[in-house]
Amino acid sequence: MSIESDLPHAARAVVVGGGVAGCSIAYHLARLGWTDVLLLEQHELTEGTTWHSAGFVGQLRSTVSQTRMIMYSSGLYAELRELTGLDPGWRGVGGLRLATTPERVEELRRQASSATTYGLDMALLGPAETLDRLPLLNVADVRLAGWLPGDGWLEPAALGAALAAGATRLGVRIVTGTRVTGIAVEGGRVRGVVTPDGPIAADVVVNAAGAAAGHVGRLAGVDLPIVPIKHQYVVTAPLPGGSTMDLPTVRDPDRIVYFRGADETGLLVGGYVRDPAPWRPESGAPLDESRTLFEPDMAKFAESWGNARHRVPALRELDIARVVHGPEAFTPDGEFLLGETPVAGFWVAAGFCVHGLAAAGGVGKVMAEWIAEGTPEYDVSTMDVRRFGGYAASRRWAGARALDGYSRYYDVVYPGQEWATARPLRRSAVWPRLTELGAALGEKAGWERVNWFGVNADLTPQAQRPKGWAGRHWSPAIAGEVAATAEAAGLFDQSSFAKLDVRGPGALGLLQHLCANDVDRPAGSMTYTQLLNARGGVEADLTVTRLGDAHFRIVTSTASGVRDADWIRKHALLTGADVLVDDVTGAYGCLCLWGPRARDILQPLTDASLSNADFPFMRAVRLLVGPVPVLAQRVTFVGELGWELYAPTEYVLTLWDLLQEAGGPLGMRPAGYRAIDSMRLEKGYRVWGSDLTTDASPFAAGLDPFVRLDKPFLGRDALLAERAGGPPARLLRCLVLDDPGTVCLGGEPVRVNGVPAGRVTSGGFGYRVGASIAYAYLPGDVPAGTPVDVGVFDRWVPAVVRQEPLFDPKMLRVRA
């Protein structure tokens, strides 16, 4: 492998950073035919963040896509060895994950259940079997262990060298010892990079600079929430008994420690401290020096070291041979940071939270596909850089969240659990009323949102807490709010939902091109639709309201606003559409009044007629509620009669008080998002990011009625090809569990006739129908009425595939 020293004047793509991520992206771009790729590294390859990685590869991750990426990475090594003749340093020794508390045992059983949905062979071992796998261990307090034979570890330099060799064999040019000092940006898009030896023109620049990725982003005027945190591990003196290199990897999360073989006869021992320290280099440019390390901090490492000596008694007689204390790049939510930034053509692949080596192959694959083909094969929406809003540019906010996440890295995380760090940030206008109502608050995209109101806890005293994890963060108030909404009305604050205004002469043409449904309807019409990628996958799930000939209002989920606005703007540039896309989320609040008495509550407050004839379903009308100017949209996400009421933010608190005063005597109650989730499951309303993803088509998701194949739109060709191939191979189906007390949380495996057939996308309890409901993608030929089994922790619970929706299938309540 030759590392060049001369610089070209231009390249099709420039990759900044010669760690495993940068080398993998360059390699995979070349595999897709992008051979004019230049990789720049300011030091030697892997001497930034990669070189000191502990190299653990644990295939089972918290999301489907991360697991698929790491599984792909594992399969890549044989290919690299064949192509380059180099050993990428892979040791498939298997991995143990220990559980020493009842809570961790539960977590482990849930992970074992999830593993089956990925085709991973995860065995649960008792203490004696665990000791057989690794006789070095003290298993006196071990209750259970998970064994994944496909786990292992990597040698950082070897993997980097193999990826780089593969890239150069395919035509990539790699230049080391060259620092990027600037990113050229013109007209909102990248034009190349600047180096001490001159500029290099390029329409694609990929920031894969590891812990320095935030600095490189700022060179382009882009703030990235990358937080370098000091992470420490040690390598011990030799253990008696010979080589340790083929010992299984071990994670002991209850004692916040991990270890594997190292230096032939020692152990590499690391841990996650409770009081982590960020790295803020005085120069402002991380990784200025190669192989950056900090002074050892053994006081901070004392807990991990003590726990390691408890777990491996042989360590009590051994010294520490060396300490590796270096920077690792973390993000505020512990997920990777991938995708195109607001500067067109300027991409980022960083923030790997110590999993860069494990995921390097998968990261290269998805980034190359994204850049070259417009859409990656895997759904990487949870890792998309656009999941953050402008608030993430605050280093104080990002740092606080990242440090908090690091400190809890090995904690058991229960569904519905909320964290208080860096809150509150974004608050709706009804905030002053929440405390007196006993609001239990959650957070999404920085917004404070009500999960339920404590004042409603006594409405349904018969409500039973769900079993297990589903009942940990729960309140009978949820059942009470559903009951109130079904019997009278519920008042919901959905101000956090993202609102985008699309205006201009090209607005209609652009939205017709992007929307699978037809939005060319009269002013005042609402359209439920999806935005698709070229492969037919769902990029967004939203409503479009036509407010004028050239003015449309899009409402999308709270966490999707930045992403969806970016999607629309970039396609406007591609098509040359003359439009403006404005995020008006903060300008308008939204209060939702839903329930059979919604009309009775709202009509006395307005002079406008709310009758079915004058105000039908899926229409929008401007009116006054008392003195408050409102855009009222007759639509629902809970399956009841009602309206979404959009008012300028300064009026929203007044509107809340008016509705509370009018609705209270009629039985209306304030209600939160957990009640919404229960009711939307009963109606079969999908949620983007779980039921709907970028790798599933609207046909597979059961959204055929909202697709208009008689008009052209992005993704139509893929849908036509799918339809020509017959019924979808997989369909999103509604399941009802036999045991109403067992509630799915998402990710549970589903068997048909005893054979693994799918996984749950979302689940919950439907209080109006009195059933535990789950949705799962299953083979398309599985009819309603089919019995199935759902794996919930260590039990297989019988369930039945049901025709949907379970509640009000004729839409009589919605159209009342």
Side-chain angles (χ1 to χ4, degrees):
M1 177 182 65
S2 62
I3 306 298
E4 302 184 28
S5 58
D6 59 324
L7 285 175
H9 297 295
R12 189 175 187 184
V14 174
V15 179
V16 182
V20 290
C23 291
S24 181
I25 293 165
Y27 170 69
H28 283 85
L29 280 171
R31 276 182 35 172
L32 294 179
W34 283 44
T35 53
D36 184 18
V37 174
L38 173 67
L39 185 149
L40 299 177
E41 166 56 47
Q42 63 179 335
H43 306 302
E44 296 302 315
L45 293 181
T46 74
E47 289 192 347
T49 313
T50 294
W51 74 275
H52 60 72
S53 171
F56 278 66
V57 178
Q59 295 182 89
L60 183 61
R61 310 303 307 168
S62 60
T63 66
V64 176
S65 293
Q66 267 203 25
T67 301
R68 293 174 72 186
M69 288 164 68
I70 294 175
M71 291 174 69
Y72 169 83
S73 298
S74 299
L76 178 67
Y77 308 136
E79 175 185 311
L80 287 172
R81 190 178 292 108
E82 182 178 340
L83 177 67
T84 67
L86 297 178
D87 179 1
W90 167 243
R91 289 184 176 270
V93 296
L96 288 166
R97 185 179 178 93
L98 309 182
T100 62
T101 63
E103 295 78 12
R104 192 70 65 180
V105 168
E106 285 186 317
E107 179 189 57
L108 202 52
R109 292 192 186 281
R110 176 168 164 78
Q111 290 171 338
S113 179
S114 296
T116 65
T117 70
Y118 307 120
L120 290 176
D121 181 20
M122 184 176 185
L124 296 179
L125 310 178
E129 296 170 293
T130 304
L131 189 62
D132 287 343
R133 292 283 181 187
L134 187 54
L136 285 172
L137 296 180
N138 165 20
V139 297
D141 58 345
V142 173
R143 295 169 179 257
L144 197 68
W147 167 252
L148 275 165
D151 283 4
W153 57 277
L154 286 158
E155 296 175 3
L159 176 60
L163 287 166
T168 56
R169 292 269 183 112
L170 296 175
V172 172
R173 302 180 69 179
I174 296 177
V175 179
T176 59
T178 298
R179 179 169 299 179
V180 172
T181 57
I183 305 290
V185 177
E186 181 182 324
R189 70 164 300 113
V190 76
R191 297 299 180 186
V193 301
V194 180
T195 76
D197 297 318
I200 303 167
D203 290 331
V204 171
V205 175
V206 184
N207 174 6
H215 170 72
V216 173
R218 287 188 289 276
L219 296 178
V222 174
D223 288 298
L224 298 171
I226 298 287
V227 181
I229 295 178
K230 297 179 179 181
H231 186 71
Q232 192 167 208
Y233 65 79
V234 302
V235 176
T236 72
L239 272 74
S243 175
T244 60
M245 300 298 276
D246 292 325
L247 296 180
T249 64
V250 178
R251 291 173 174 83
D252 189 355
D254 289 321
R255 292 185 175 270
I256 58 173
V257 68
Y258 60 82
F259 49 91
R260 66 164 174 84
D263 286 4
E264 297 300 334
T265 56
L267 285 185
L268 181 155
V269 179
Y272 291 85
V273 299
R274 294 296 185 185
D275 55 342
W279 179 38
R280 300 185 181 95
E282 293 182 5
S283 68
L287 307 183
D288 265 358
E289 301 295 327
S290 67
R291 293 178 169 257
T292 297
L293 286 179
F294 314 118
E295 288 297 318
D297 188 345
M298 298 313 297
K300 195 177 285 286
F301 195 69
E303 182 180 5
S304 293
W305 179 238
N307 287 333
R309 298 172 83 186
H310 164 82
R311 185 61 60 215
V312 182
L315 294 181
R316 299 169 191 171
E317 310 300 324
L318 296 180
D319 294 327
I320 292 172
R322 71 177 192 275
V323 179
V324 179
H325 192 192
E328 292 282 0
F330 281 77
T331 62
D333 60 1
E335 287 279 8
F336 299 173
L337 204 66
L338 308 178
E340 192 173 18
T341 71
V343 174
F346 183 57
W347 298 73
V348 62
F352 298 122
C353 308
V354 307
H355 298 301
L357 263 73
V363 166
K365 169 184 164 65
V366 300
M367 288 296 294
E369 291 169 348
W370 213 343
I371 293 166
E373 300 173 355
T375 307
E377 177 185 358
Y378 306 152
D379 172 31
V380 291
S381 55
T382 60
M383 310 172 212
D384 195 322
V385 63
R386 296 169 294 181
R387 68 187 183 271
F388 292 111
Y391 54 87
S394 163
R395 295 189 210 178
R396 178 176 297 180
W397 180 89
R401 293 296 286 257
L403 289 166
D404 181 56
Y406 180 104
S407 71
R408 294 183 286 98
Y409 185 83
Y410 270 157
D411 287 0
V412 176
V413 179
Y414 298 102
Q417 193 164 355
E418 303 286 352
W419 308 107
T421 304
R423 292 175 58 188
L425 178 61
R426 306 171 79 180
R427 289 175 273 187
S428 82
V430 302
W431 178 266
R433 301 292 182 264
L434 300 185
T435 300
E436 62 197 56
L437 295 171
L441 294 167
E443 180 267 342
K444 192 169 188 179
W447 281 95
E448 296 294 319
R449 312 198 318 170
V450 178
N451 287 328
W452 62 78
F453 287 96
V455 294
N456 296 324
D458 296 331
L459 294 179
T460 52
Q462 76 281 5
Q464 296 298 307
R465 181 182 295 273
K467 297 176 182 177
W469 279 21
R472 277 186 170 266
H473 297 282
W474 176 89
S475 169
I478 303 167
E481 290 166 12
V482 171
T485 303
E487 295 164 8
L491 180 60
F492 303 82
D493 177 14
Q494 286 197 164
S495 298
S496 69
F497 268 49
K499 298 166 277 287
L500 309 173
D501 273 4
V502 183
R503 303 170 179 258
L508 175 60
L510 176 64
L511 291 178
Q512 283 288 75
H513 168 65
L514 293 179
C515 295
N517 207 343
D518 184 9
V519 299
D520 189 7
R521 303 180 185 188
S525 299
M526 294 185 65
T527 304
Y528 171 59
T529 187
Q530 290 73 46
L531 311 186
L532 309 182
N533 55 47
R535 296 179 180 177
V538 179
E539 290 285 339
D541 180 66
L542 41 79
T543 59
V544 179
T545 301
R546 192 169 192 175
L547 299 179
D549 288 344
H551 182 193
F552 296 81
R553 170 75 51 79
I554 288 174
V555 177
T556 187
S557 65
T558 300
S560 298
V562 173
R563 189 178 187 278
D564 293 354
D566 180 76
W567 182 264
I568 296 167
R569 289 186 185 113
K570 284 179 177 170
H571 281 88
L573 288 174
L574 288 172
T575 61
D578 183 7
V579 299
L580 289 175
V581 182
D582 293 322
D583 187 331
V584 296
T585 302
Y588 300 95
C590 174
L591 302 183
C592 300
L593 178 64
W594 290 320
R597 304 211 66 179
R599 185 181 282 117
D600 299 334
I601 296 167
L602 190 59
Q603 185 64 83
L605 299 177
T606 181
D607 294 333
S609 171
L610 303 181
S611 69
N612 276 325
D614 296 327
F615 203 146
F617 184 58
M618 295 301 284
R619 291 287 295 174
V621 176
R622 295 190 185 277
L623 48 80
L624 288 169
V625 177
V628 177
V630 164
L631 173 67
Q633 299 191 164
R634 188 170 169 192
V635 66
T636 178
F637 199 53
V638 301
E640 300 283 356
L641 167 70
W643 287 264
E644 294 177 350
L645 305 173
Y646 294 87
T649 298
E650 67 269 27
Y651 291 101
V652 172
L653 185 58
T654 298
L655 180 63
W656 174 274
D657 290 342
L658 283 170
L659 294 171
Q660 281 279 71
E661 183 178 357
L666 298 183
M668 186 198 79
R669 305 292 294 188
Y673 278 85
R674 295 285 290 276
I676 291 176
D677 195 54
S678 169
M679 291 185 279
R680 71 93 187 166
L681 282 165
E682 296 171 311
K683 282 297 291 179
Y685 295 150
R686 277 60 167 146
V687 169
W688 190 84
S690 56
D691 306 318
L692 306 176
T693 59
T694 61
D695 53 4
S697 78
F699 293 161
L703 297 176
D704 308 48
F706 308 105
V707 176
R708 289 287 301 272
L709 289 174
D710 58 347
K711 78 176 186 74
F713 58 87
L714 179 62
R716 177 173 176 264
D717 290 346
L719 295 190
L720 288 171
E722 180 181 345
R723 177 141 292 181
R730 303 186 72 74
L731 281 172
L732 187 64
R733 305 307 302 270
C734 176
L735 313 179
V736 172
L737 279 64
D738 286 7
D739 176 13
T742 298
V743 174
C744 290
L745 303 167
E748 293 86 354
V750 181
R751 299 189 310 198
V752 179
N753 296 322
V755 178
R759 68 193 307 272
V760 171
T761 57
S762 62
F765 189 80
Y767 294 95
R768 290 177 299 190
V769 299
S772 177
I773 306 166
Y775 275 82
Y777 281 96
L778 298 178
D781 58 359
V782 175
T786 300
V788 300
D789 297 303
V790 182
V792 183
F793 291 88
D794 57 344
R795 296 187 301 128
W796 286 101
V797 180
V800 177
V801 178
R802 294 282 299 273
Q803 195 70 39
E804 58 172 328
L806 299 175
F807 181 76
D808 189 26
K810 295 184 179 180
M811 298 281 284
L812 298 178
R813 295 176 72 92
V814 171
R815 299 180 184 275

